Amino acid sequence: MDRIRIRGGRPLHGEISISGAKNASLPLMTAGLLTDERLVLSRVPVLADTQTLGLLLEQHGIAVEPVGQDGHTLSIGGPITNTEAPYDIVRKMRASILVLGPLLARTCEARVSLPGGCAIGTRPVDLHLKGLEQMGAVIALEGGYINAKAPSGLQGATIVFPMPSVGATENLLMAATLANGRTVLANAAREPEITDLCDCLVAMGAQISGIGTDRLTIDGVSSLHGAAHQVIGDRIETGTYACAAAITGGELHLQGGRMDHLGAVMRTLSEAGVEISETATGLSVKRLNGLHGVDAITEPYPGFPTDMQAQYMVLMSVAQGASMVTETIFENRFMHVPELNRMGANINVHGKSAIVRGVPYLSGAPVMATDLRASVSLVLAGLVARGETIVNRVYHLDRGFEHVERKLAACGADIERIPG
Ligand code: UD1
């Protein structure tokens, strides 16, 4: 298994090109199931997760073909020949559940392995299933699989989510584009990735209003057609590299980064002493003087994203003073804390909150990545720590961050991948 070795202490300077958003690409790729015609997606990041989803689509009979040399443009299309999403693929990536809505809408049946728990909590899919049932699907859970049928097709319905769920909103949104009649999704999630999916669906012929709000109204149409769509930039990658510039005391230009997608993160970082300004092509980020402790609480968009919590905590671990970081979206999402403490951080977890008392420096150590965002937080810690850090289990990192070591090394970091 590959590892990453970092020798910390070098300020980062230069430019990092922000990749297309993983969390936008995955639902966009599953939208390819909604038509037999070609959906051409550009700026798709080359990551383990997008490759896994490509394999899943191929399993359903859909061709996923690269256009051009760089692998970032995919042409997706073809008739669905198999409606089963097998355990072996779904277990690798929970977002595989996003094929359920499109498959049901297109073929009136789907058999999708239940995603299990994951490192950051139980993560149920009840909201996806209840919503589809409200739209007329008959769902049975058997042998670890979701068996879903909609013998008379899906019907429009008004679905009020008890809490915003990104995945459930996306699944039901896609299902609703081909349902009979009008569907209203209320208290829907409104992450930029959902807006991106809406924009693509509209380009495919879907009728959606309320885009960008927590109330989406979808009037079903009889079929969708092919389209070309460019994936938005990855706001979590942008926020992560903004933390890298701030923590090392350098200055980075994040090409393609967007302030409007990062709202709460940018506000919190600037309160903590990080200067972020918009440029013609992205964002420029540098630390002003010292960093100081500022509280953060994770919330659905436009609040502070749970996917930035671990990275922000690293920043706070070397800030002056204390801060409280509260996680409200996922249980068990503090697994990076013991690893950071092994590097000399002073973090105490009390239920959903972590008290971070800033320390003057971190020390390099061998550490273990536990999930995607936790693993990149350990890389950030390694960039600022004295001495050498080895991050083990980097396959987590490869699921969501494109060429992380290459991008950081090009800006002056002493970082390398050790194949293993
Ligand atoms: C997506 C993102 C993930 C991010 C998360 C929250 C993708 C591929 N992944 O995950 O990176 O951390 O949003 O921003 O886009 N819940 C239920 N029942 C359900 C569905 C969700 O109780 O049926 C709960 C979850 O356990 C969690 C909360 O709702 O506590 C939010 O989860 P959700 O927004 O659905 O996250 P994902 O779509 O899985």
Side-chain angles (χ1 to χ4, degrees), residues 169-180:
T169 301
E170 291 165 346
N171 229 339
L172 298 176
L173 167 67
M174 288 190 277
T177 58
L178 292 176
N180 296 314

Side-chain angles (χ1 to χ4, degrees), residues 22-24 26-27 49 93-95 97-98 120-129 163-170 189 191 193 235-236 299-301 305-307 328-331 333 372-373:
K22 170 186 86 80
N23 285 354
L26 299 176
D49 273 14
M93 190 184 64
R94 294 181 49 81
I97 186 78
L98 293 174
I120 60 172
T122 49
R123 295 182 81 174
V125 291
D126 55 318
L127 300 176
H128 303 238
L129 304 187
M163 63 170 121
S165 156
V166 174
T169 301
E170 291 165 346
E191 270 65 3
E193 293 77 18
R235 66 195 164 99
I236 303 302
E299 286 171 335
Y301 189 82
T306 175
D307 287 350
T328 71
I329 307 293
F330 292 115
E331 65 208 75
R333 206 174 197 182
L372 172 54
R373 311 304 174 183

Side-chain angles (χ1 to χ4, degrees), residues 53-100:
L53 192 55
L55 289 178
L56 182 57
L57 292 178
E58 281 169 359
Q59 160 89 22
H60 294 307
I62 307 292
V64 179
E65 288 157 356
V67 180
Q69 298 300 311
D70 65 3
H72 289 122
T73 302
L74 297 178
S75 166
I76 298 170
I80 297 168
T81 55
N82 173 7
T83 55
E84 177 167 328
Y87 173 70
D88 262 354
I89 298 184
V90 177
R91 74 181 167 83
K92 287 192 196 143
M93 190 184 64
R94 294 181 49 81
S96 307
I97 186 78
L98 293 174
V99 300
L100 180 61

Side-chain angles (χ1 to χ4, degrees), residues 162-381:
M163 63 170 121
S165 156
V166 174
T169 301
E170 291 165 346
N171 229 339
L172 298 176
L173 167 67
M174 288 190 277
T177 58
L178 292 176
N180 296 314
R182 173 168 285 191
T183 299
V184 177
L185 302 178
N187 196 24
R190 51 189 164 130
E191 270 65 3
E193 293 77 18
I194 295 174
T195 299
D196 201 30
L197 176 62
C198 287
D199 290 344
C200 177
L201 292 170
V202 167
M204 294 169 73
Q207 292 192 6
I208 307 171
S209 60
I211 296 175
T213 75
D214 63 357
R215 189 180 175 87
L216 295 169
T217 302
I218 306 110
D219 287 305
V221 294
S222 56
S223 64
L224 295 180
H225 50 73
H229 178 82
Q230 187 182 63
V231 179
I232 54 169
D234 197 311
R235 66 195 164 99
I236 303 302
E237 191 194 28
T238 307
T240 301
Y241 290 130
C243 288
I247 204 166
T248 62
E251 180 167 7
L252 290 179
H253 184 251
L254 306 177
Q255 171 81 25
R258 280 176 59 168
M259 191 89 94
D260 60 329
H261 286 170
L262 270 160
V265 172
M266 291 303 166
R267 276 195 304 281
T268 314
L269 287 182
S270 47
E271 240 184 282
V274 185
E275 186 182 84
I276 302 154
S277 48
E278 276 181 302
T279 68
T281 55
L283 298 175
S284 173
V285 186
K286 69 173 177 196
R287 185 166 90 199
L288 284 176
N289 296 307
L291 291 167
H292 37 264
V294 173
D295 296 351
I297 173 162
T298 65
E299 286 171 335
Y301 189 82
F304 193 100
T306 175
D307 287 350
M308 277 300 301
Q309 181 253 103
Q311 300 90 310
Y312 181 69
M313 202 182 275
V314 178
L315 203 63
M316 290 297 96
S317 70
V318 291
Q320 272 182 9
S323 56
M324 187 162 79
V325 178
T326 304
E327 172 61 54
T328 71
I329 307 293
F330 292 115
E331 65 208 75
N332 203 19
R333 206 174 197 182
F334 284 136
M335 280 172 312
H336 42 285
V337 169
E339 297 302 292
L340 292 175
N341 283 345
R342 289 183 54 251
M343 296 177 73
N346 181 352
I347 307 172
N348 280 299
V349 175
H350 300 272
K352 289 182 165 189
S353 294
I355 309 290
V356 189
R357 294 186 176 85
V359 294
Y361 63 91
L362 299 177
S363 312
V367 286
M368 190 84 85
T370 49
D371 72 50
L372 172 54
R373 311 304 174 183
S375 54
V376 83
S377 78
L378 298 175
V379 172
L380 289 181

